[in-house]
């Protein structure tokens, strides 16, 4: 049987700022890249998103980035 992985970058909320609807998206994807590296997400958002992915049977990967909130992790500090 042919299988296709449906993937999404998730866990991009930060503190009191809610970005996206991870809980709803996780109903439809088979894997999720969780934002880490403090370009998006924070430790609580990361933990919550991984738990939701596990509850929905989605595989989990990392979406790393530089610690660059304004540039969404694309700029190296320094």
């Amino acid at each position: 049987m042919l299988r296709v992985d449906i993937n999404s970058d998730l866990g991009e909320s930060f503190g009191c700022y809610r970005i996206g609807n991870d809980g709803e998206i996780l109903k439809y994807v088979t894997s999720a890249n969780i934002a880490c590296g403090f370009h998006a997400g924070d430790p609580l958002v990361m933990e919550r998103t991984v738990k939701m992915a596990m509850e929905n049977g989605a595989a989990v990967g990392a979406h790393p980035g530089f610690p660059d909130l304004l540039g969404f992790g694309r700029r190296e500090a320094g």
Side-chain angles (χ1 to χ4, degrees), residues 31-73:
S31 67
N33 297 325
I34 310 302
C36 56
F38 297 100
H39 67 291
D42 62 38
L44 295 176
V45 170
M46 289 181 236
E47 180 180 20
R48 188 169 47 244
T49 308
V50 168
K51 285 181 181 179
M52 284 191 297
M54 292 172 57
E55 290 167 358
N56 284 276
V60 173
H63 178 204
F66 293 114
D68 171 34
L69 283 174
L70 294 176
F72 202 66

Side-chain angles (χ1 to χ4, degrees), residues 1-24:
M1 173 197 279
L2 181 65
R3 297 187 71 190
V4 176
D5 177 36
I6 307 297
N7 178 273
S8 183
D9 290 347
L10 300 174
E12 296 176 345
S13 297
F14 192 87
C16 65
Y17 301 99
R18 185 170 179 221
I19 311 294
N21 189 345
D22 296 346
E24 188 64 23

